[in-house]
Amino acid sequence: MSSETRTYPRRVQTEAGEIEFRLMAQADEAAVLAFAQKLPVHDLLFLPRNISEPKVLSAWVKEIERGAITSILAVQAGRVVGCGTLVRDPWSWSPHVGEIRNVVSSDVRGQGVGRALSQETFALALGAGLEKLVVQMTVDQSGAIAIFEGLGFKAEALLRDHVKDRDGRNHDIVVLGHNVAQVRAQLEAYGLPGAVQH
């Protein structure tokens, strides 16, 4: 696994225009809160906590400062339009596993911003030396599922009635996984060691 560190800010072109990726910091708290509070409630269901709540966002920033979470903001014209997060816990039984959490503003969906953010977060995870990556989302988020399947993720579990929305309705969550170490070993066996690069 490459240990190359990604540098920010980074700029990418999408159908929505130029997007800047940069690391989230405490100074971004108000801008991220404004972004999160405009998200449809359904988009928040696959996140373990409601990031549109100020106290949750403050705890998130503390986790970034502690090093347990790395978050990338997608910014366009000074406004946050997406956020990608890599969560890992080196003190758990799964220090080799990282979870990717992405959410994108509805006004830039279908314009390549989600795909670019997912690729950027995936590259960040590869650079972290993780052996396995997981993502989870509600089963109706077919666009997001397709993006991650395009990156090599495969469905591993369906968690029935796993989240409850504000109206009390239950929703299923699909868990997708990517065994980075296994894919890397297969590519090396075929003589393509550099194929899984970021």
Side-chain angles (χ1 to χ4, degrees), residues 26 42 54 81 86-87 99 102 107 126 137 139 143 150 162 173 185:
Q26 186 176 15
H42 189 75
V81 295
L86 174 62
V87 180
E99 181 180 355
N102 286 352
D107 62 328
L126 291 177
M137 60 204 72
V139 295
H162 197 68
I173 294 285

Side-chain angles (χ1 to χ4, degrees), residues 1-2 126 179-189 193 196-197:
M1 199 56 77
S2 173
L126 291 177
N179 191 326
V180 177
Q182 181 182 25
V183 170
R184 186 173 302 284
Q186 289 170 339
L187 291 170
E188 287 177 359
V196 181
Q197 293 293 325

Side-chain angles (χ1 to χ4, degrees), residues 29-134:
E29 201 166 329
V32 174
L33 184 61
F35 158 73
Q37 289 179 337
K38 290 179 185 168
L39 290 170
V41 173
H42 189 75
D43 290 358
L44 299 170
L45 290 178
F46 66 92
L47 301 173
R49 293 184 182 94
N50 183 354
I51 64 168
S52 68
E53 295 290 334
K55 65 182 177 187
V56 172
L57 192 55
S58 292
W60 176 8
V61 169
K62 286 185 176 98
E63 289 298 299
I64 289 172
E65 291 170 346
R66 191 172 69 86
I69 295 176
T70 305
S71 291
I72 302 168
L73 297 180
V75 179
Q76 183 179 48
R79 182 176 67 96
V80 175
V81 295
C83 183
T85 299
L86 174 62
V87 180
R88 54 193 180 257
D89 184 354
W91 309 115
S92 74
W93 291 108
S94 303
H96 61 294
V97 178
E99 181 180 355
I100 293 175
R101 301 174 186 159
N102 286 352
V103 65
V104 175
S105 177
S106 38
D107 62 328
V108 296
R109 286 202 192 132
Q111 299 178 57
V113 176
R115 180 172 308 283
L117 181 61
S118 297
Q119 291 169 342
E120 186 65 29
T121 311
F122 182 64
L124 185 72
L126 291 177
L130 297 165
E131 296 173 28
K132 181 174 181 172
L133 301 171
V134 295

Side-chain angles (χ1 to χ4, degrees), residues 4-11 21-23 72 120 124 198:
E4 175 187 329
T5 303
R6 296 192 65 81
T7 57
Y8 295 96
R10 268 177 202 275
R11 298 186 192 297
F21 292 132
R22 60 182 170 81
L23 294 175
I72 302 168
E120 186 65 29
L124 185 72
H198 56 283

